[in-house]
């Protein structure tokens, strides 16, 4: 008892440190095993502290499936073959409703297309240019400097064509959702028949438990063999979802490869410099008597 | 001419502008520093370092940023995608803000633990709090600039605070926004302020350091030291190298954050362009505002006091204002918690309470969190008023050593 | 960043070299780190990727009659496209190289004789010269009085060189692509 009394401050400090250490451990585990690298504070809050969703939300979304992505982790890099397949899926399926307004055709050279191939893809699109010498707008084939054209003329047109909910632009979607890549993948693979007794709030929605309210306006966008991959990869739903997620991660964070490579060099170099500074400090401080 | 140790060009300049002796007395061999400063004393120089990083990257980002409702979001993406090393500058700036606050919070808690706010350093402490307030305004205006959903709605919610002012609330809100709602004018003025405040901070930092040099650093034992005795050592090279080592550690942590977890501290909704027609389901401020946000939302007793919103705003402002007067609340002559066993316990309870408030701030105002927020807020104010006062008056402190070197008998000068 | 005072306060006896060595090494490694950190801050001011991608401009020249000029923009710079008259071509070709400050034949400055395409920036200090002016019937820069002939070559005044001819190719007879090279 006397020991307790004497050391109560140390015990309180120890307990605080232990709680903090547990938090730190939990964060470390989270950073190591979940959407590594691209996790967000919000998701961290939800996952680590176990908070389900915003208050009053009916049928909060299921936590996304955790997928091991090639870009995960400090040394992760994009699988460019998958990114290119994802571009194909985007062009043949998503692009009917979703824009990609941050990506220019010139950017396609960054995922392994030659300039000529990128030019050919650009030329398959029609863009509006102008005004010409007479003040009129005109249409022409896309060029490298053009951006992917939007499927709808403007926000209102997009809403009118889609039961009032405009399909979001996909350029940043994997960063604009908590646990983005896993979320996109889970939505794309999460369609299915509603269980018995499931009550829809609307008759134009589809069942998808990875979306808040479990009802999503978007119809299942992927079907087996809907695209034909040039590299012979089997086009099942999971494969296409993974490819398009890889692609959309690239559109959101095109510099990730460089960032990871530079990060390794910078961190390693700074560790060495810090160790040198430590010994330099030790040598200097040897002159001070305690 | 003048008496100084500089020769040649340095001597010529020194005769006309004593810049070298100024530097030497500020961070050189002429500045006598207690020899027992621990690593918690590194956070002052780290805060200065973080400020410099923010200003440099901020000036660079301003070369590309377009402060308009139509162009802000696009210009940030332009920085991220097309500008050479733009992504690096932007991620350093956005994460640098978080780390700046982390470093400053530790610096503040260090001051609380070791009684750095006590006489004769009350003004030094208050200048630091002014810096903290300016940092908060800078951070808030900066958070609005990307013009994402969180930017827009944070600006809306925070400016809406002022509607709590009785009588003229709406007028003040519109004056702040320059429009009926958060708008292009709001973004433009926030950008202007975001560029201005850091330079005000630099100004106050210089005065803060000036005030520091009047009585010198405190120390872990909280006792007065005499300059030039075995208790002190020159700032250079001892603390310059130690500060550099601290910066090395800081940069390693910074690099891991910037290169591997650049969006850890941010909110996904801010990658959605601002939409005045849709409120995000769950508005959360940046993590460093969470405890204050919790205090703001804690006052919900509409039936007990009228205008709970106003009292919430007052409580939040009060949570910082109370720190301005603690040198006169805590009247204990003993500075360091090392010799204040009971205070030490309450210090750590207060730290835990601030953590609790931080967690509450991130939660929806719902169920248990309401009560935890109210409890945390009440305890926070209880600590900085009643508890500090009583501890200062009645706590039985342990005996103070006569000097830093005690009980070591050695008394010869420490510098060879 | 680099620690100063390498061993300046060090004891004069044993260990001095080793002490100095660690400080010199740390200072050198730290200096390189500072240099490496400064480079991105300098490089960011170079033209960004979207600007660098502005490589070509296509121009329809079918509507430009003989004796007319138009100005278009290529890489954000004005480009003169002049449909020259027979007279202008003859004058330009007849000028002996010895009279030129920056000797170039007219033939080397064109692909088709009637079409003269030049970056419309005075080589003196960057003003835009005015067409069909000056003592040589070509261009005249009002800023500092440089006279260019009908081939855009400098004849009088402070400009050091002829107006620059950019890369361009004809795409059929009606269209040119400025900035492109013949494949």
């Amino acid at each position: 008892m006397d020991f307790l009394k004497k050391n109560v401050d140390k015990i309180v400090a120890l307990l605080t440190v232990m709680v903090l250490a547990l938090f730190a451990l939990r964060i470390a585990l989270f950073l190591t095993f979940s959407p590594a690298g691209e996790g967000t504070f919000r998701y961290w809050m939800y996952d680590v502290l176990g908070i389900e969703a915003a208050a009053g939300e009916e049928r909060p979304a299921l936590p996304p499936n955790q997928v091991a992505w090639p870009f995960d982790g400090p040394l992760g890099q994009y699988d460019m073959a998958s990114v290119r397949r994802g571009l194909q899926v985007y062009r043949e399926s998503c692009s009917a409703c979703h824009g990609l307004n941050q990506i220019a055709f010139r950017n396609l050279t960054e995922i392994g297309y030659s300039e000529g191939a990128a030019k050919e893809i650009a030329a398959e699109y029609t863009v509006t240019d102008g005004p010409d010498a007479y003040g009129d707008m005109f249409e022409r084939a896309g060029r490298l400097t053009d951006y992917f054209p939007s499927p709808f003329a403007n926000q209102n047109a997009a809403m009118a064509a889609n039961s009032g909910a405009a399909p979001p632009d996909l350029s940043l979607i994997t960063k604009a959702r908590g646990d983005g890549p896993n979320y996109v993948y889970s939505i794309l693979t999460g369609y299915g028949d509603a269980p018995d007794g499931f009550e829809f709030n609307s008759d134009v929605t589809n069942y998808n438990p990875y979306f808040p309210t479990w009802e999503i306006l978007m119809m299942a966008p992927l079907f087996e063999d809907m695209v034909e991959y040039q590299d012979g990869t089997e086009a099942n739903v999971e494969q296409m979802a993974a490819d398009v997620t890889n692609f959309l991660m690239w559109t959101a964070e095109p510099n990730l490869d460089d960032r990871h490579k530079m990060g390794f060099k910078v961190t390693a170099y700074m560790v060495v410099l810090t160790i040198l500074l430590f010994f330099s400090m030790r040598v200097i401080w040897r002159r001070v008597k305690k | 001419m003048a008496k100084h140790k500089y020769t040649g060009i340095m001597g010529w300049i020194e005769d006309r502008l004593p810049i070298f002796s100024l530097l030497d007395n500020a961070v050189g061999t002429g500045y006598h520093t207690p020899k027992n400063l621990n690593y918690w004393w590194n956070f002052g120089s780290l805060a200065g370092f973080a400020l410099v990083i923010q200003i440099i990257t901020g000036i660079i980002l301003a070369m590309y940023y377009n402060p308009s409702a139509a162009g802000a979001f696009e210009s940030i993406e332009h920085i991220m995608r097309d500008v050479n090393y733009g992504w690096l500058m932007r991620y350093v700036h956005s994460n640098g803000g978080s780390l700046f606050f982390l470093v400053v919070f530790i610096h503040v808690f260090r001051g609380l633990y070791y009684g750095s706010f006590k006489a004769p350093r009350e003004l030094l402490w208050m200048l630091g709090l002014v810096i903290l307030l300016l940092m908060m305004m800078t951070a808030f205006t900066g958070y609005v600039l990307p013009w994402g959903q969180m930017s827009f709605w944070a600006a809306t919610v925070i400016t809406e605070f002022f509607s709590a002012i009785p009588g003229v609330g709406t007028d003040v809100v519109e004056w702040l926004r320059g429009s009926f709602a958060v708008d292009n004018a709001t973004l433009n003025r926030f950008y202007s302020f975001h560029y201005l405040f850091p330079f005000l901070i630099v100004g106050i930092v210089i005065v803060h350091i000036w005030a520091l040099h009047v009585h010198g650093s405190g120390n872990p034992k909280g006792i007065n030291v005499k300059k030039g005795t075995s208790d002190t050592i020159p700032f250079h090279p001892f603390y310059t190298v130690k500060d550099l080592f601290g910066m090395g550690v800081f940069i390693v942590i910074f690099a891991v954050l910037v290169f591997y977890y650049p969006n850890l501290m941010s909110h996904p909704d801010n990658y959605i362009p601002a939409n005045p027609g849709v409120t995000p389901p769950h508005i959360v401020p940046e993590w460093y505002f969470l405890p204050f946000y919790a205090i703001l939302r804690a006052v919900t007793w509409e039936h007990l006091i009228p205008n709970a919103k106003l009292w919430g705003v007052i409580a939040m402002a009060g949570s910082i204002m109370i720190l301005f007067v603690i040198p006169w609340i805590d009247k204990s002559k003993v500075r360091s918690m090392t010799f204040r066993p009971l205070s030490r316990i309450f210090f750590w309870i207060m730290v835990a309470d601030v953590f609790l408030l931080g967690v509450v701030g991130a939660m929806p105002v719902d169920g248990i969190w309401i009560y935890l927020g109210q409890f945390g807020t009440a305890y926070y104010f209880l600590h900085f008023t009643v508890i500090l006062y009583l501890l200062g008056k009645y706590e039985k402190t342990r005996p103070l050593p006569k000097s830093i070197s005690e009980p070591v008998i050695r008394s010869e000068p420490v510098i060879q | 960043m680099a620690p100063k005072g390498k061993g300046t306060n060090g004891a004069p006896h044993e260990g001095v070299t080793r002490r100095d060595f660690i400080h010199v090494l740390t200072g050198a490694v730290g200096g390189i780190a500072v240099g490496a950190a400064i480079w991105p801050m300098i490089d960011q001011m170079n033209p960004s990727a979207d600007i660098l991608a502005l490589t070509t401009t296509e121009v329809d020249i079918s509507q430009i009659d003989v004796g007319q000029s138009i100005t278009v923009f290529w890489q954000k710079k004005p480009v003169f496209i002049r449909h020259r008259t027979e007279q202008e071509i003859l004058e330009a070709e007849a000028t002996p190289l010895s009279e030129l400050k920056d000797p170039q034949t007219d033939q080397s400055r064109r692909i088709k004789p009637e079409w003269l395409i030049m970056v419309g920036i005075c080589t003196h200090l960057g003003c835009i010269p005015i067409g069909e002016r000056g003592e040589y019937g070509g261009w005249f820069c009002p800023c500092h009085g440089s006279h260019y002939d009908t081939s855009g070559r400098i004849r009088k005044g402070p400009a050091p060189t002829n107006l620059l001819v950019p890369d361009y190719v004809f795409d059929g007879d009606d269209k040119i692509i400025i900035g492109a090279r013949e494949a």
Side-chain angles (χ1 to χ4, degrees), chain A residues 214-280:
Chain A
W214 297 27
E215 288 179 68
I216 188 166
L217 207 51
M218 177 169 75
M219 287 185 287
L222 302 177
F223 300 97
E224 185 124 16
D225 292 326
M226 71 184 295
V227 302
E228 194 179 329
Y229 284 137
Q230 281 161 345
D231 60 5
T233 307
E234 194 190 335
N236 58 40
V237 172
E238 285 76 19
Q239 181 65 43
M240 288 186 289
D243 288 340
V244 87
T245 304
N246 273 324
F247 173 67
L248 292 176
M249 189 65 208
W250 171 77
T251 62
E253 195 67 18
N255 291 306
L256 178 140
D257 282 2
D258 283 348
R259 174 155 62 75
H260 282 181
K261 281 181 201 153
M262 193 191 293
F264 185 79
K265 288 182 211 153
V266 170
T267 313
Y269 194 90
M270 282 312 300
V271 166
V272 171
L273 176 57
T274 306
I275 291 170
L276 283 173
L277 277 166
F278 177 76
F279 284 110
S280 206

Side-chain angles (χ1 to χ4, degrees), chain A residues 18-209:
Chain A
M18 276 168 61
V19 170
L20 290 179
L22 276 175
F23 264 106
L25 184 69
R26 183 66 191 82
I27 296 164
L29 283 173
F30 165 75
L31 292 179
T32 318
F33 293 113
S34 45
E38 307 307 328
T40 65
F41 188 69
R42 184 193 185 196
Y43 184 70
W44 178 89
M45 274 293 174
Y46 281 35
D47 189 64
V48 176
L49 301 172
I51 294 308
E52 290 296 320
E57 202 170 273
E58 184 196 4
R59 291 199 293 246
L62 293 185
N65 292 311
Q66 300 298 305
V67 180
W69 298 106
F71 49 79
D72 277 348
L75 297 172
Q77 299 278 298
Y78 287 122
D79 172 357
M80 286 305 180
S82 174
V83 170
R84 286 193 295 272
R85 288 196 299 270
L87 169 67
Q88 188 182 349
V89 176
Y90 168 77
R91 291 181 66 200
E92 293 182 23
S93 178
C94 323
S95 64
C97 303
H98 294 279
L100 200 63
N101 61 22
Q102 303 290 347
I103 300 299
F105 295 110
R106 65 183 159 84
N107 296 128
L108 298 181
T109 56
E110 297 159 29
I111 59 172
Y113 286 101
S114 67
E115 198 173 309
K119 267 183 185 159
E120 277 173 29
I121 293 174
E124 289 171 28
Y125 288 82
T126 306
V127 300
T128 305
D129 198 354
D132 62 14
Y134 304 100
D136 299 323
M137 302 303 281
F138 59 93
E139 294 194 329
R140 58 165 175 76
R143 299 182 196 139
L144 284 182
T145 45
D146 292 318
Y147 287 75
F148 274 86
S150 289
F152 300 103
N154 51 54
Q155 181 82 359
N156 288 356
M159 285 168 71
N162 292 283
S163 314
D169 186 90
L170 294 183
S171 313
L172 285 161
I173 200 78
T174 47
K175 288 204 292 190
R177 298 288 182 274
D179 195 13
N182 290 322
Y183 171 85
V184 169
Y185 178 85
S186 299
I187 290 282
L188 291 176
T189 55
Y191 287 87
D193 295 327
D196 289 340
F198 184 86
E199 281 185 35
F200 282 95
N201 292 321
S202 157
D203 48 4
V204 291
T205 51
N206 305 281
Y207 174 79
N208 193 328

